[in-house]
Amino acid sequence: MNSKTLLSLGIMLSMSASAFGWGQKGHDVTAYIAEQHLTPAAKAACESIFDGKSIVYWANWADNACHTPEYAYTKTWHYRNIDAGNNYDEFPRNENGDVTTAIKEQYAILENPKSTKEEKELALKLLVHFCGDIHQPMHMGHLSDLGGNRVRLKFFGKNTNLHSIWDTGVLESGHNWSHTEWQRQIDRLSPEENAAIIASSNPDDWGKECFAYATKIYDSTPEGSDLSYDYVAEWTPLIEQQLLKGGLRLAHLLNTLFDPNYNK
């Protein structure tokens, strides 16, 4: 079996869970980058809440949980859809919740000294996951096409949709790395560059940024496109950037929450 056949097979396998925000790899990468930037106090606090397990262990939990009756109420919390030509701040929010609102709510639960350990455990699982979701551009995609799920196209000759290839297809095609290899390769910015990324801890600032990227992606990916190597080469740098931003910003939130000496 030649390398091109192996690549196409890998792409098809990676797109089997196309409804999720980033695939499992993307969420693991985001959480692992965050873990590498936690202060000792913040890391210990997270592991205490998770009974010794790391934030990477729980990075994908929310994608499975939202399909169960107990946590079905969180389904809309993974994204915020905004139709083309609309203003981010003015477009109506989903009454059942959205990703930016959910991040703020989980942060508030973790910050509240009256929250129970059970409440904090759920909030931390969700916060870790949603900080990944909000950096996946199609999670700020159009309401009219369900964040690109209805934009039909071909990827390496196979029928799929725009949302699916941004969850997994482009990411896995750009680099066939483990989540630890991803971190080692893309987490190489200077302290000053990292500081610029975490300068805003407002999820709506991240959402606006990602909505702008989504607009560019829609413009360059018309329905019916047949995408392959050129598309992967064009957009892999943005995926690298978004995974890194998600990890650094998650670490900043957790350090702020759990380390009283952070940034002092």
Side-chain angles (χ1 to χ4, degrees):
M1 188 178 293
N2 63 36
S3 59
K4 289 186 177 180
T5 302
L6 285 170
L7 174 62
S8 297
L9 177 60
I11 289 166
M12 290 307 297
L13 290 173
S14 73
M15 293 192 297
S16 61
S18 63
F20 300 151
W22 294 132
Q24 290 187 355
K25 180 71 64 64
H27 281 291
D28 287 347
V29 172
T30 299
Y32 188 66
I33 289 172
E35 187 175 58
Q36 301 312 298
H37 290 269
L38 293 179
T39 67
K43 184 178 181 182
C46 290
E47 291 178 353
S48 176
I49 291 172
F50 284 156
D51 294 325
K53 290 185 170 64
S54 75
I55 59 174
V56 179
Y57 182 92
W58 293 109
N60 286 283
W61 176 86
D63 271 337
N64 295 321
C66 73
H67 294 287
T68 67
E70 184 177 3
Y71 299 106
Y73 65 91
T74 66
K75 280 185 178 179
T76 67
W77 296 8
H78 296 246
Y79 56 87
R80 185 179 176 211
N81 289 153
I82 305 162
D83 276 334
N86 286 274
N87 180 279
Y88 177 93
D89 291 314
E90 296 174 358
F91 196 75
R93 291 181 179 269
N94 191 316
E95 63 181 13
N96 295 314
D98 62 70
V99 67
T100 52
T101 302
I103 289 174
K104 295 174 187 177
E105 290 175 346
Q106 308 322 303
Y107 188 94
I109 291 169
L110 290 165
E111 189 178 36
N112 186 350
K114 295 183 179 180
S115 296
T116 66
K117 184 179 183 299
E118 183 179 35
E119 291 170 336
K120 288 184 176 182
E121 181 179 344
L122 176 58
L124 186 55
K125 289 176 183 177
L126 296 175
L127 181 65
V128 168
H129 187 86
F130 296 154
C131 279
D133 279 342
I134 198 172
H135 288 87
Q136 204 276 58
M138 285 297 102
H139 278 240
M140 290 289 157
H142 300 161
L143 178 62
S144 59
D145 58 42
L146 304 182
N149 276 291
R150 291 177 175 169
V151 178
R152 309 305 302 177
L153 46 80
K154 290 181 182 291
F155 192 58
F156 288 90
K158 303 298 182 180
N159 292 325
T160 182
N161 64 74
L162 183 59
H163 191 106
S164 175
I165 67 167
W166 273 86
D167 275 353
T168 54
V170 181
L171 183 155
E172 295 284 7
S173 301
H175 302 295
N176 187 23
W177 294 332
S178 67
H179 68 274
T180 57
E181 290 170 326
W182 270 93
Q183 184 273 328
R184 287 197 295 269
Q185 295 302 322
I186 69 174
D187 188 8
R188 292 170 174 241
L189 299 185
S190 67
E192 294 76 18
E193 290 171 317
N194 286 348
I197 288 173
I198 64 173
S200 173
S201 55
N202 183 348
D204 279 306
D205 289 341
W206 311 342
K208 290 176 186 176
E209 179 184 74
C210 209
F211 178 54
Y213 294 140
T215 300
K216 293 179 181 179
I217 292 165
Y218 275 110
D219 289 344
S220 73
T221 321
E223 185 159 10
S225 297
D226 192 350
L227 310 172
S228 61
Y229 297 99
D230 289 348
Y231 192 86
V232 172
E234 178 181 4
W235 290 108
T236 293
L238 179 61
I239 286 179
E240 294 172 0
Q241 171 191 289
Q242 291 301 98
L243 292 173
L244 180 57
K245 283 184 174 181
L248 294 175
R249 288 166 174 169
L250 173 58
H252 178 62
L253 292 184
L254 297 178
N255 287 335
T256 302
L257 277 166
F258 298 128
D259 188 345
N261 294 315
Y262 179 63
N263 277 343
K264 289 185 178 179

